[in-house]
Amino acid sequence: MKYAIGIDYGTESGRVILVNIENGDIVATSVTPYPHGVITGHLNNRTLGKETALQVPQDYLEVLINSIPEVMKEINPNDIVGIGLDFTSSTILPVDENLNPLCETKEHENNPHAYVKLWKHHEAEDEAKHLNKIVQQEQWTKRYGGTISSEWMLPKVLEIANDDPPLFNQVHLFLEAGDWVISKLTGNLIRNSCSAGYKGTWHKETGFIDNETLQKISPALNDIYKTKLQGNVQSSGTLAGTLTKEISVKVGLHEGTPVAVGIIDAHAALPGAGVSEPGTLVMVMGTSTCHLLLSDKEVLVPGISGVVEGGILPGYFAYEAGQAAVGDLFAHFLKNYQTNFETLSDEAKILHPGQSGLLALDWHNGCRTPFVDTTLSGVLVGEKLSTTPAEVYRALLEATAFGTKVIIDLFEKHEIPINQVIATGGIPNKNNLLMQIYADILQKEITVVQNDQAPALGAAILGAVAAGAYDSYSRAIRHMASNKTIVYKPNKDNANIYIQLFDMYKQLSTFFTEQSSIMHDLNHLKGEKKYDRKPMEHLQ
Ligand SMILES: Nc1ncnc2c1ncn2[C@@H]1O[C@H](COP(=O)(O)OP(=O)(O)O)[C@@H](O)[C@H]1O
Ligand SMILES: O=C(CO)[C@@H](O)[C@@H](O)COP(=O)(O)O
């Protein structure tokens, strides 16, 4: 029997799976929660900005050292054909000449800018707004729905250049954390085309954005792609190199084991969920939700996260859209009400659509698609003294489904067909109420992959292909991807009420984005910077 190892680096933990390459059976799984988790509030004794979200790079190596031996307990290392890895993005860190993280030095141990800035670190909004003002007329921005998000590489780099010039000057390279882990595994520095394409403004024919534009954005960015952002971009899933002696000893594998170039976590879920052709929307539902879709054609859809040729599988344009808080929003609610999913679900299940009189906007971590604005916030309308926690919970579940409907409508309006909707990630198998609500609100069947590890499985498929165990992705996906599913069918009786509620959801979004500056004014009162109102015409 031969196996591939898939490693999925999520927001809270890293998951390692061992996969039989003949039939895709996951024969062992190990989860390592990051020892330092997501650092918010304080770093050592220093108070952090409200939108700061940091991580500790050593935690990623802990995942390798702890979880790889765990899945290898019964297996001979000779039987491992290859390793693939996916990572959240844009999750970036500054390193020195030896690729060692700057936060590991005594000098910088208390400096937040020296740590990993997680994808959901939202302090670079000012930089993103500034950058967007300069580049908004350029054609390439249309591939990114018209807006560069503050979650991405350039705004985060600019944040450090603006806030801490001495540290910025000391940085040798800024790396995607996934590329940094690959460098620790193989000794090779490669920038993966998926992160570079979606989060780094890279295009396979034209490369990165030109230096004239970079200079206009900030003198600090002059020649940045030849200096702190240098490095070859290589297609995700091609061979990055092989395991070094040093790391192979630590994880109990053979030196020389092939390792694939990394990919973004959500994007790995598309092959992991068995998709190798256009027309199937894959919702990767976890801390956030990413919506991924292959197509034969490139359409410049306003408000999406991006369309990248070959961004997930060779030969197709791959679209990404997203919602920045889904599981995170539910977790936030549970924490505030000191309750749990089981209790709430039982009570929320017996409510009918519309019965609570509540309607929510799911923007508690900003809105990715279609407004690309991390300063937007959550809303609950209709709360009374009689409102129960289960009613609010159900309104939040529904709000995330309405957010997904906005995304599906956007793709369909731009004539990108969606014939099937697949749900995967950590949530769908844990919450059947949520999945039924999605089917009812979208009025589409939702196919749930009966395996929570689609990203890790996708990563293992990349590892097997990079190692040469399969000569094509379609063959590898056919053999290795998950094929056990259950289907949620839309309830026609609920459709009428949900159509009305969705119309109100859209009215609320329009009010808080186009007609009222309340959300931004409230941010201002909190002491945050006041941002310019965003013109919404590009979304019409
Ligand atoms: N029963 C549930 N219903 C809805 N969300 C859940 C449930 N159980 C856990 N979650 C959410 O799932 C998210 C974690 O998703 P997962 O895919 O495992 O991780 P990651 O996003 O880090 O890859 C958390 O935000 C958590 O609140
Ligand atoms: O931003 C992306 C993908 O573009 C993700 O890495 C990010 O949403 C985090 O994903 P998870 O919710 O942790 O699975």
Side-chain angles (χ1 to χ4, degrees):
M1 214 76 82
K2 294 289 177 194
Y3 303 94
I5 290 178
I7 311 172
D8 169 36
Y9 283 98
T11 300
E12 310 274 348
S13 62
R15 276 94 44 159
V16 177
I17 62 170
L18 188 70
V19 185
N20 178 328
I21 63 164
E22 289 296 315
N23 57 16
D25 280 352
I26 298 176
V27 296
T29 301
S30 170
V31 181
T32 301
Y34 302 135
H36 298 86
V38 178
I39 301 172
T40 56
H42 290 90
L43 172 70
N44 304 328
N45 286 327
R46 190 169 163 170
T47 306
L48 299 172
K50 267 201 147 243
E51 295 298 324
T52 296
L54 309 176
Q55 291 194 318
V56 171
Q58 195 59 37
D59 289 358
Y60 307 141
L61 303 184
E62 279 296 314
V63 172
L64 304 173
I65 292 163
N66 187 44
S67 283
I68 294 182
E70 185 92 14
V71 300
M72 286 296 296
K73 271 185 191 146
E74 316 277 316
I75 305 293
N76 185 330
N78 287 332
D79 293 330
I80 302 300
V81 298
I83 302 172
L85 168 162
D86 68 64
F87 217 107
T88 64
S89 179
S90 202
T91 296
I92 69 151
L93 74 159
V95 297
D96 68 13
E97 286 78 1
N98 299 316
L99 307 189
N100 291 324
L102 292 187
C103 62
E104 288 175 3
T105 60
K106 198 87 205 116
E107 184 187 355
H108 298 302
E109 67 184 357
N110 294 322
N111 184 346
H113 292 305
Y115 281 75
V116 176
K117 290 190 192 290
L118 185 60
W119 65 272
K120 68 175 187 174
H121 172 92
H122 283 166
E123 296 284 357
E125 193 63 31
D126 209 19
E127 283 75 10
K129 299 263 171 190
H130 166 73
L131 186 154
N132 279 305
K133 232 182 249 165
I134 290 168
V135 301
Q136 66 190 356
Q137 298 307 337
E138 299 198 18
Q139 186 59 20
W140 62 266
T141 61
K142 304 219 164 22
R143 292 200 307 270
Y144 299 104
T147 313
I148 304 308
S149 163
S150 69
E151 291 183 1
W152 299 356
M153 180 65 99
L154 273 183
K156 282 174 169 156
V157 166
L158 203 50
E159 182 201 347
I160 299 175
N162 288 345
D163 286 6
D164 194 342
L167 179 90
F168 182 79
N169 290 336
Q170 276 188 45
V171 174
H172 178 58
L173 293 173
F174 290 102
L175 295 178
E176 283 282 344
D179 295 335
W180 179 73
V181 174
I182 293 282
S183 80
K184 290 287 162 196
L185 289 170
T186 64
N188 299 333
L189 174 65
I190 292 163
R191 294 190 185 267
N192 80 80
S193 64
C194 185
S195 296
Y198 287 96
K199 316 290 176 175
T201 68
W202 176 83
H203 184 269
K204 76 174 195 178
E205 260 127 46
T206 52
F208 291 105
I209 60 176
D210 63 80
N211 203 44
E212 206 181 309
T213 309
L214 288 171
Q215 282 174 327
K216 269 193 234 153
I217 298 167
S218 164
L221 296 185
N222 182 32
D223 273 342
I224 193 98
Y225 291 112
K226 291 188 186 145
T227 57
K228 298 177 197 300
L229 288 175
Q230 66 175 288
N232 283 341
V233 179
Q234 199 175 307
S235 293
S236 295
T238 56
L239 189 67
T242 59
L243 278 191
T244 63
K245 184 168 184 173
E246 191 188 344
I247 192 81
S248 59
V249 172
K250 288 185 184 158
V251 300
L253 293 172
H254 285 325
E255 181 184 357
T257 305
V259 180
V261 175
I263 187 169
I264 301 177
D265 57 346
H267 300 57
L270 186 134
V275 176
S276 59
E277 304 223 321
T280 300
L281 182 87
V282 178
M283 304 190 290
V284 190
M285 305 177 71
T287 307
S288 60
T289 292
C290 293
H291 307 75
L292 302 156
L293 179 63
L294 299 178
S295 175
D296 292 317
K297 55 182 183 181
E298 183 182 68
V299 183
L300 302 173
V301 185
I304 61 164
S305 306
V307 50
V308 176
E309 189 176 350
I312 304 180
L313 295 179
Y316 293 115
F317 292 94
Y319 292 79
E320 178 189 353
Q323 291 166 271
V326 176
D328 234 5
L329 166 55
F330 309 146
H332 162 80
F333 174 77
L334 258 51
K335 199 169 113 205
N336 282 353
Y337 277 80
Q338 296 184 334
T339 178
N340 57 55
F341 281 114
E342 291 70 33
T343 314
L344 284 176
S345 294
D346 287 345
E347 291 173 36
K349 233 174 229 164
I350 50 179
L351 297 169
H352 299 297
Q355 182 185 338
S356 67
L358 296 176
L359 178 65
L361 282 182
D362 53 323
W363 295 346
H364 298 62
N365 194 19
C367 173
R368 263 197 199 167
T369 304
F371 299 112
V372 202
D373 190 343
T374 63
T375 64
L376 294 174
S377 45
V379 173
L380 182 68
V381 178
E383 190 164 17
K384 306 282 279 185
L385 293 177
S386 56
T387 299
T388 66
E391 287 174 335
V392 181
Y393 172 66
R394 186 171 172 123
L396 294 177
L397 300 185
E398 290 170 345
T400 67
F402 291 136
T404 287
K405 184 159 168 54
V406 167
I407 289 168
I408 289 183
D409 287 356
L410 192 62
F411 280 123
E412 291 186 334
K413 182 175 152 198
H414 287 84
E415 293 177 6
I416 304 171
I418 296 175
N419 311 320
Q420 192 190 12
V421 179
I422 290 187
T424 186
I427 295 182
N429 288 307
K430 296 195 186 100
N431 196 324
N432 51 24
L433 170 63
L434 182 71
M435 299 327 298
Q436 188 57 53
I437 287 174
Y438 271 59
D440 294 350
I441 286 178
L442 302 178
Q443 280 297 302
K444 286 186 191 295
E445 287 190 352
I446 311 285
T447 302
V448 173
V449 179
Q450 293 286 277
N451 159 14
D452 295 349
Q453 302 290 0
L457 192 51
I461 289 172
L462 262 57
V465 173
Y470 286 101
D471 58 8
S472 73
Y473 277 105
S474 50
R475 262 169 48 75
I477 290 170
R478 220 176 307 129
H479 282 267
M480 292 177 68
S482 271
N483 51 18
K484 289 200 194 96
T485 57
I486 57 166
V487 177
Y488 289 81
K489 291 187 188 301
N491 175 337
K492 299 270 177 243
D493 294 340
N494 291 342
N496 184 27
I497 300 198
Y498 277 138
I499 287 168
Q500 294 176 55
L501 282 169
F502 181 57
D503 186 53
M504 295 177 212
Y505 176 93
K506 285 193 296 185
Q507 286 181 48
L508 263 190
S509 338
T510 306
F511 178 73
F512 281 109
T513 51
E514 289 180 29
Q515 294 159 2
S516 155
S517 63
I518 288 177
M519 286 182 184
H520 294 99
D521 295 345
L522 287 172
N523 285 336
H524 187 50
L525 284 182
K526 266 198 321 194
E528 287 175 13
K529 301 161 197 158
K530 189 170 173 93
Y531 303 110
D532 290 344
R533 298 282 306 288
K534 193 172 137 116
M536 292 294 146
E537 300 86 60
H538 77 293
L539 296 172
Q540 302 310 307

